Amino acid sequence: MKNVLSPKSNLDPHGLIVGHNDFKYRVDTQWGALNPKDVAVENCHDFAMDSRGRIIMVTDNPSNNFIVYNKDGKLLDSWGTEYPGAHAIEVVHENGEDFIYVVDSGWISNRNWDGISTDAWDSPFNKVIAQSGFVSKLTIDGRLIFTIGHPQTCGAYKPEQPFRPTDVAVAANGDIYITDGYGSDFLLQYDCQGRYIRHWGGHDNHNSDLNLTNTHGISIDHRDPADPHLIVSSRADHVMKLFSLNGDYRSSIATPGAYIGGAVFKDDHFYAPVCWSHIDGANADDSGFISIFDRDNRVVSNPGGTEPMYVDGVLQPMQSTWDVFNHCHGVCVDDDENLYVGQWRANQSYPIKLERV
């Protein structure tokens, strides 16, 4: 689509009302602000809420990977240096105890950085360079239980296939689903002990519905308890794909104009971060927003984006309104339906709260 709005404003959006229909919010840019000398962030990649109501955020700053807030934005804890590519987090309550599943996508700070390059991903002098990623299961206080590494170790990948995972979801039976969105674009399924079961996706399937491109986020839809299934973002294709828990393709949700991430569920709705808008044939810088979907998987609000419009049942292209976000990457929803938004490439800014009005 063509950009029909102004470039991103430099005005502070604090106090701005955003969103549409019944999902409107007041922007609070000060909610999670901390002293960067004490608790630094690079990218605020993802959130999860534990059973105590604490908001746990992961960042890829090398000095601390986990930052723990209460809902008032007070810092409760910060810890961890073992996850330089920290990218996603899931907190799961198992047998009366909380556990953390953390995804390290494999990007590490480059000690040979030339001080200039930030998007030369294949250059040995880029700010970050790639290694193999992994997924770890931790106790809630950060003790390692086990790690799932490169799938070549179980025969699922060939050694030359990159593994740079982006997200994780855990089923009711403990099965672990991992998206390899920066690597080979497969979706991998493991059992509760981290033992390989199957994988699907990739790029070259005879049935194109099985193809995934930058498969960035994954979650399990439990809104119908009798029919749990996966919702998987194929971000570069501007689509979310639905699969059974065994990997059978079911349907797709088109998100035109939106490089959309994984779904976060709250009651009948789900919320998904959009990292970029698709404008003039490319992913435009500083053009993120949040999309909110109803029980029928229709977009009902786009905080920080244009109002969702359907013509003959078809969602029209969406884009940023340029007045709030840079690149939305992670979102969390509390019991009062307030949103907490973390961003990639937002000048090391702390998360933003969207207070439901």
Side-chain angles (χ1 to χ4, degrees), residues 64-331:
N64 47 256
N65 302 139
F66 298 84
I67 297 176
V68 185
Y69 292 101
N70 70 8
K71 288 189 286 187
D72 294 327
K74 178 184 177 182
L75 176 68
L76 300 178
D77 199 3
S78 65
W79 52 276
T81 59
E82 302 93 341
Y83 306 94
H87 190 271
I89 182 174
E90 182 89 356
V91 173
V92 178
H93 199 66
E94 301 175 357
N95 300 317
E97 184 178 355
D98 283 345
F99 294 90
I100 293 172
Y101 292 80
V102 60
V103 177
D104 186 303
S105 62
W107 296 103
I108 59 172
S109 298
N110 185 7
R111 62 188 179 89
N112 296 314
W113 182 36
D114 61 12
I116 300 172
S117 304
T118 57
D119 292 317
W121 305 111
D122 295 326
S123 169
F125 307 109
N126 197 55
K127 185 177 182 180
V128 294
I129 53 176
Q131 61 180 10
S132 182
F134 57 93
V135 176
S136 293
K137 181 179 181 179
L138 316 173
T139 63
I140 196 64
D141 58 354
R143 290 181 290 111
L144 179 65
I145 299 172
F146 64 74
T147 293
I148 297 173
H150 196 295
Q152 68 174 309
T153 60
C154 63
Y157 276 25
K158 297 178 181 178
E160 64 269 21
Q161 290 180 275
F163 179 61
R164 299 182 193 124
T166 48
D167 202 5
V168 62
V170 182
N173 68 349
D175 280 3
I176 302 163
Y177 296 86
I178 298 169
T179 52
D180 185 17
Y182 290 150
S184 299
D185 269 327
F186 288 103
L187 198 164
L188 299 109
Q189 181 182 358
Y190 299 82
D191 72 9
C192 63
Q193 301 298 324
R195 295 171 295 203
Y196 170 78
I197 297 175
R198 64 173 61 87
H199 69 288
W200 67 90
H203 303 147
D204 301 315
N205 296 285
H206 178 70
N207 179 359
S208 62
D209 288 331
L210 296 175
N211 291 341
L212 296 168
T213 309
N214 187 206
T215 178
H216 200 262
I218 185 171
S219 55
I220 300 175
D221 187 347
H222 291 286
R223 289 176 294 180
D224 179 354
D227 183 31
H229 56 273
L230 301 169
I231 294 187
V232 183
S233 71
S234 188
R235 191 169 71 169
D237 296 324
H238 316 153
V239 69
M240 307 181 88
K241 296 191 175 185
L242 280 61
F243 295 94
S244 75
L245 297 181
N246 293 325
D248 297 322
Y249 173 79
R250 296 174 52 143
S251 62
S252 293
I253 306 168
T255 61
Y259 290 79
I260 199 153
V264 175
F265 288 90
K266 175 64 176 174
D267 298 328
D268 283 341
H269 293 79
F270 74 82
Y271 306 73
V274 175
C275 196
W276 305 277
S277 304
H278 190 70
I279 295 172
D280 294 334
N283 51 333
D285 287 342
D286 299 317
S287 63
F289 57 94
I290 301 292
S291 284
I292 303 172
F293 297 74
D294 67 12
R295 189 173 181 84
D296 298 319
N297 297 332
R298 290 170 60 93
V299 182
V300 294
S301 182
N302 284 323
T306 52
E307 183 173 1
M309 299 291 292
Y310 285 82
V311 176
D312 296 329
V314 177
L315 180 62
Q316 302 303 294
M318 306 175 290
Q319 72 164 69
S320 171
T321 48
W322 306 99
D323 49 1
V324 184
F325 299 114
N326 298 97
H327 307 97
C328 297
H329 196 277
V331 63

